[in-house]
Amino acid sequence: MTMQNTPLLMSRILGRGAKLDPNEEIVTLLENGTHRQTLKTTWDRANQLADALKGLGIGIGDRVASFMWNNYRHLELYQAVPSMGAVLHTINIRLSPTDLEYIINHAGDRVIFVDEDLLPLLEPLLDKIPSVELLVICRHGEGGDSSFPNTVDYEDLIADANTNYDWPEISENSPMGLCYTSGTTGKPKGVMYTNRSTYLHTLAQALTDSMNLSSLDAICGIVPMFHAMGWGLPFSASMLGCKQVMPHRFMSPDKIVELMVEEEVTLSAGVPTIWQGVKGILEDNPGKYDMSNVSRLTCGGSAPPVSLMRWYWDTFGIEMIQGWGMTETNPLATLSRKVAKRSHINLTEDQQFENIAKAGLTMPGLEVKIADEEWNTLPNDGEAVGELLIRGPWICSEYYNDPQPEKFQDGWLVTGDVAKIDPEQYVIIADRSKDLIKSGGEWISSVDLENYIVSMDGVIQAAVVAQPHPKWDERPVALVILSEGSNVTKEIILEHCVEIFAKWQLPDDVIFVDQIPLTSTGKIDKKRRRAGLSDEGYQLPDLRSA
């Protein structure tokens, strides 16, 4: 017996939720209240958008870019562009003008959709991006115009288009999304997602043992939709028929908490700095916010401190799910749940949190291994540390128009992360290979030091940076932000660290700061820290003369 060979196309699943639960809502926070529309309206408008783009001559494989916040129109693009066979290029609005110019030209974007308050960021580039034929302006009543010769308002573009678009039958290996890495070294690199890879990722993400997504969820994605396709949540939510709640540009912790409470959000996703900020609001206003609907917070981008995860669980019974992935992994690769295996049901709470602190277990369908410098596979014994490699049906096999063979080894993606894998098959990330500090031939993990310092009362954030040293090559220095009224000193921090770190692993200096630079995706900016710069412009001490 043979089975139907139906291609795995996003058009087959993205309209499913709207069909099953047409009156459920998409909610977007705007300047003056919330914008609300139903799942059916959203899918109808996605059909109109595809019809309008086809009318502009956009065809299969053409790149359509978004330069937008998380909002209902961005979701319409997420549904329309992949379904019509074109490629949605989600542009990171926080990149430098140089990087923006490079990626728009490298992608060959033909149309850019832009939220009107972001127009000033595009303005300096408009005569440097010759492939762009049209700017579609998404207005939210804030005013703002562009000097680009060819512009149209989003609502005018779709007004007369058909709400029933005939989605094309294309190869499941056709591209549907394009994301660029934020370029820690060299130029940003493009990762092209296919219909097949994203279809499989969408199914795997919703699994009970993954994010446990269900049509009953109200999902609030704080992670930007321009960052690794919003971790895939807009696709999974569209497929299942979840309520989707979007913060637009209103990303302050107080706005996020209010939105989550008002809209009865059950699951949210963001980087650790977001959840640190939300914790601060909740601590400052005890009893003010009813968090009873929230059951889980997904955290990725960098490892959340265990103290943060414990606080959410102990205070509100909210499970923090740690995920690890990268643009190249579409993006979900491993997940850590509080209880991840049947044999873990009777673990103590301390043991459960030890497991959540790890990067997690691989998603079904993916394989990981660690290797030494000669690419020999190392044992999964929790001791051996090596380069983390990964392969599977939604893992990148080359960069878009930029092969970079050194990033791929025998069919495996070289992640750039240094890790160990324990006998329980948990991946434990030691650090990004470039963020490990090499002191006297020994490696020091900046992440471990940061998390341990942040677990102290009175410490809001910590960043550990390598500084050159004449004898030891590099030595760690800690940048620390204290809460108001904190009496923590350098000596107290070092005494705290010596409890679990060897003396040679301790920071040589602790510098108290008001701000730690973040990258365009909200992670602590390792690159700028290495350069010894902060937003205040001070220079970290150069220890070479020590």
Side-chain angles (χ1 to χ4, degrees):
M1 186 174 81
T2 58
M3 308 302 286
Q4 291 182 3
N5 191 19
T6 309
L8 309 182
L9 300 179
M10 294 307 289
S11 58
R12 299 193 197 285
I13 55 174
L14 287 180
R16 178 181 179 274
K19 199 171 180 182
L20 297 189
D21 205 358
N23 296 318
E24 193 44 76
E25 281 189 316
I26 304 295
V27 181
T28 303
L29 185 59
L30 295 178
E31 182 82 61
N32 304 310
T34 51
H35 175 280
R36 294 168 184 273
Q37 66 185 36
T38 65
L39 300 192
K40 182 179 189 312
T41 299
T42 305
W43 184 242
D44 285 350
R45 284 167 57 89
N47 277 258
Q48 288 181 289
L49 179 55
D51 192 42
L53 286 170
K54 187 180 182 182
L56 293 172
I58 297 298
I60 289 165
D62 284 338
R63 268 79 65 209
V64 174
S66 61
F67 197 74
M68 299 169 72
W69 302 103
N70 292 16
N71 55 47
Y72 63 99
R73 291 196 187 106
H74 207 167
L75 181 64
E76 291 160 15
L77 278 161
Y78 261 67
Q79 294 181 352
V81 176
S83 296
M84 70 180 291
V87 178
L88 180 61
H89 171 204
T90 52
I91 301 175
N92 186 337
I93 63 174
R94 300 187 187 127
L95 293 179
S96 68
T98 310
D99 280 348
L100 288 174
E101 181 187 335
Y102 172 78
I103 67 173
I104 292 167
N105 286 324
H106 187 265
D109 297 323
R110 290 185 59 191
V111 180
I112 299 180
F113 287 74
V114 54
D115 279 326
E116 64 181 333
D117 63 300
L118 298 173
L119 282 167
L121 297 180
L122 279 187
E123 201 62 28
L125 308 175
L126 294 178
D127 56 353
K128 300 174 181 173
I129 45 176
S131 66
V132 178
E133 303 157 27
L134 178 68
L135 218 53
V136 181
I137 300 174
C138 303
R139 298 201 178 276
H140 303 278
E142 295 161 337
D145 273 311
S146 170
S147 65
F148 198 69
N150 199 8
T151 66
V152 65
D153 278 16
Y154 185 101
E155 296 304 324
D156 294 341
L157 175 69
I158 70 168
D160 301 322
N162 197 322
T163 56
N164 280 311
Y165 189 83
D166 189 14
W167 307 116
E169 285 289 323
I170 53 179
S171 162
E172 63 180 27
N173 292 312
S174 301
M176 52 66 64
L178 179 60
C179 293
Y180 281 76
T181 63
S182 40
T184 42
T185 53
K187 297 274 188 211
K189 299 183 284 289
V191 180
M192 190 72 93
Y193 302 153
T194 66
N195 273 266
R196 181 176 188 271
S197 72
T198 304
Y199 187 110
L200 292 170
H201 181 275
T202 303
L203 296 179
Q205 181 173 48
L207 287 170
T208 312
D209 283 346
S210 299
M211 283 195 196
N212 191 16
L213 301 180
S214 128
S215 56
L216 310 185
D217 277 313
I219 293 177
C220 180
I222 308 295
V223 57
M225 288 165 75
F226 56 70
H227 183 209
M229 294 250 138
W231 296 351
L233 283 169
F235 297 131
S236 296
S238 296
M239 173 182 78
L240 295 170
C242 306
K243 176 179 180 177
Q244 292 190 60
V245 180
M246 303 185 165
H248 189 49
R249 62 182 169 84
F250 303 101
M251 303 278 283
S252 61
D254 56 326
K255 293 277 192 195
I256 288 170
V257 175
E258 285 164 17
L259 185 65
M260 287 172 68
V261 170
E262 281 167 22
E263 300 303 330
E264 300 181 346
V265 166
T266 58
L267 174 134
S268 189
V271 295
T273 46
I274 292 285
W275 303 127
Q276 292 276 21
V278 166
K279 173 177 180 262
I281 294 291
L282 295 172
E283 281 182 317
D284 291 346
N285 300 276
K288 181 178 177 182
Y289 297 105
D290 176 6
M291 298 293 285
S292 59
N293 287 301
V294 183
S295 67
R296 53 224 188 279
L297 299 176
T298 304
C299 195
S302 54
V306 177
S307 55
L308 180 69
M309 298 193 269
R310 270 214 104 124
W311 182 86
Y312 274 103
W313 180 258
D314 292 343
T315 313
F316 296 105
I318 294 173
E319 179 191 7
M320 284 196 85
I321 302 172
Q322 184 181 174
W324 170 81
M326 47 203 298
T327 308
E328 292 89 335
T329 64
N330 207 53
L332 214 51
T334 70
L335 276 178
S336 225
R337 300 295 302 265
K338 191 165 176 288
V339 181
K341 305 179 183 186
R342 182 167 171 76
S343 55
H344 288 178
I345 289 171
N346 296 320
L347 291 182
T348 66
E349 201 135 274
D350 284 350
Q351 290 170 319
Q352 290 173 6
F353 278 99
E354 270 177 42
N355 283 334
I356 304 190
K358 301 166 185 174
L361 303 168
T362 47
M363 302 283 288
L366 303 184
E367 299 169 78
V368 292
K369 67 176 181 178
I370 49 172
D372 64 16
E373 288 169 5
E374 276 80 51
W375 305 114
N376 300 309
T377 302
L378 295 169
N380 295 357
D381 58 7
E383 300 294 327
V385 177
E387 180 84 50
L388 183 62
L389 282 73
I390 187 166
R391 69 180 178 189
W394 58 86
I395 307 299
C396 164
S397 60
E398 63 176 11
Y399 291 108
Y400 177 61
N401 286 348
D402 187 8
Q404 305 227 5
E406 71 281 0
K407 284 286 289 177
F408 305 93
Q409 181 64 35
D410 247 358
W412 295 78
L413 170 73
V414 179
T415 65
D417 278 321
V418 176
K420 46 193 177 186
I421 301 174
D422 69 14
E424 289 248 35
Q425 306 311 306
Y426 278 90
V427 175
I428 302 156
I429 305 287
D431 228 326
R432 297 291 298 168
S433 49
K434 55 189 151 303
D435 295 323
L436 284 165
I437 298 162
K438 194 157 197 179
S439 182
E442 298 285 348
W443 293 109
I444 301 171
S445 169
S446 62
V447 168
D448 288 350
L449 275 169
E450 286 163 3
N451 285 345
Y452 202 64
I453 294 169
V454 166
S455 70
M456 299 175 69
D457 287 337
V459 173
I460 296 175
Q461 216 174 339
V464 173
V465 57
Q467 284 294 286
H469 191 281
K471 182 175 179 185
W472 304 116
D473 190 22
E474 290 181 331
R475 292 294 300 148
V477 170
L479 306 183
V480 175
I481 301 175
L482 297 178
S483 57
E484 215 168 307
S486 169
N487 59 359
V488 170
T489 62
K490 171 182 171 178
E491 290 67 33
I492 290 172
I493 288 175
L494 294 176
E495 275 171 34
H496 173 71
C497 289
V498 84
E499 291 169 12
I500 67 161
F501 293 98
K503 281 212 162 55
W504 62 268
Q505 293 174 311
L506 297 183
D508 276 13
D509 201 0
V510 176
I511 302 168
F512 296 103
V513 297
D514 297 327
Q515 223 176 352
I516 291 172
L518 301 179
T519 67
S520 59
T521 48
K523 304 176 200 174
I524 291 169
D525 192 339
K526 305 266 182 175
K527 196 165 51 165
R528 285 181 63 193
R529 292 181 337 182
R530 268 189 177 272
L533 292 172
S534 86
D535 286 347
E536 291 89 56
Y538 59 66
Q539 204 69 23
L540 284 174
D542 186 343
L543 303 173
R544 277 174 289 207
S545 55

